[in-house]
Amino acid sequence: MRGSRSEIVARRGPTTLVFRRLAPQAAVLAFRAGRVDEAPVPLGDIRALRGDPALHVRSTLALDVVVLDPRLPVEVRRVYWQTADRADYQALVPEYLAKPALGLRPDRDTSGRSSPKLYREAKAAVGGLPKLAVRIAAAPALRDQAELVASNWLELGLGPIVGATGSSRFVRIQAEYPRPDAVERELGLTDARAYAQWRVVPLAWVADARLVSPRLRGWAEDALGVPDYTRVR
């Protein structure tokens, strides 16, 4: 019906949908006040809302990764891959509602790619690596997530620097279609090659969390994290 940067109004038959642009915390407050019927859950708030009947959480075909500059020495890339603190990342970002990732596909057994032994060996190798500043570009919306994984590497003596620009980058890869190879296609790199060359450090799959009013009927969400409003009443 009409649209602007802050609001879009759509109508089909007797049903009208109003999409409003709000900051995450403002959206939750609007939901609690009954002014909106659906709101995304802000980063770090999922566990606080557990048990709320309005909370809907789904693990989606989206993956948080660090794409390393291929010009970095291969041993440096290997140590970054093996020392990524996926447990800490899983606890603070998807909040245990999506799995940590050791590869680019959800349908592969990648358990042999990491172990306490491999982590200890990689950690021990840090002192023998060249002292390099690894500049990691991250979009403003993903800066907190990037800083989290970088802080763990800094504690080990590595040199990640998160900023607006960099030859390496922190990205959230969103699949465009529900197939196991969708993330590979988005990156233009197979899982096997990414692992063999230590090119991409996978961290965790993405959990999409939303507050959905019980007043809504027919609301659904697909594997890509896209809500389906066509049957909403």
Side-chain angles (χ1 to χ4, degrees), residues 110-192:
T110 55
S111 57
R113 294 182 177 181
S114 183
S115 68
K117 178 176 182 293
L118 291 172
Y119 174 83
R120 289 193 299 269
E121 290 174 350
K123 183 179 177 182
V126 171
L129 296 177
K131 303 300 182 183
L132 297 175
V134 177
R135 299 189 179 277
I136 302 173
L142 296 172
R143 190 66 56 84
D144 288 344
Q145 293 93 317
E147 292 283 6
L148 172 63
V149 69
S151 67
N152 290 317
W153 280 326
L154 283 169
E155 289 178 3
L156 297 178
L158 296 168
I161 301 173
V162 175
T165 61
S167 299
S168 299
R169 53 199 174 97
F170 180 98
V171 290
R172 175 164 290 178
I173 307 298
Q174 175 64 61
E176 294 296 327
Y177 50 87
R179 284 172 51 100
D181 64 346
V183 170
E184 292 174 306
R185 289 182 178 272
E186 288 297 311
L187 277 171
L189 195 64
T190 67
D191 173 62

Side-chain angles (χ1 to χ4, degrees), residues 2 21 33 35 48-49 51 57-58 60 65 77 86 110 121 125 129-130 151 156 175 192 203 227 229 233:
R2 64 182 183 274
R21 185 186 297 274
R35 296 193 300 271
L49 293 169
V57 182
R58 175 162 188 168
T60 68
V65 304
R77 299 200 305 267
R86 295 174 177 87
T110 55
E121 290 174 350
L129 296 177
S151 67
L156 297 178
L203 299 166
Y229 300 105
R233 295 291 183 271

